[in-house]
Amino acid sequence: MLIVTQRQQPDSPTMPVGAEAQIAHKLRSFYLSIESEPVPQQFLDLLEKLDDAERLSELQLEDGDR
């Protein structure tokens, strides 16, 4: 008969019962509050610049293959 037990690492702290659920609930609430915030225009502008640079790079690669 094989008995499998969970072993904790000697240096790992133990978490009180229910603490993981409380942490998960608080993280979920925090995420939902941030998720509803609008994306800053400065960030959208930066993403657009990155898209433009990527398109330009792809065009230059295509021109180099000809």
Side-chain angles (χ1 to χ4, degrees):
M1 176 181 210
L2 178 64
I3 298 175
V4 178
T5 59
Q6 276 189 324
R7 295 175 56 188
Q8 284 190 322
Q9 305 233 344
D11 295 335
S12 69
T14 58
M15 191 169 290
V17 176
E20 289 180 9
Q22 289 177 356
I23 292 170
H25 175 72
K26 288 181 181 184
L27 284 173
R28 192 175 301 111
S29 296
F30 181 67
Y31 174 78
L32 290 173
S33 70
I34 291 175
E35 183 182 41
S36 63
E37 291 182 10
V39 177
Q41 186 60 44
Q42 187 176 11
F43 186 71
L44 294 172
D45 294 342
L46 178 60
L47 289 173
E48 184 64 32
K49 286 179 184 178
L50 290 170
D51 284 342
D52 291 344
E54 186 177 17
R55 279 187 226 109
L56 179 61
S57 176
E58 288 173 356
L59 287 173
Q60 289 174 346
L61 285 174
E62 287 175 4
D63 287 344
D65 290 343
R66 293 180 187 174

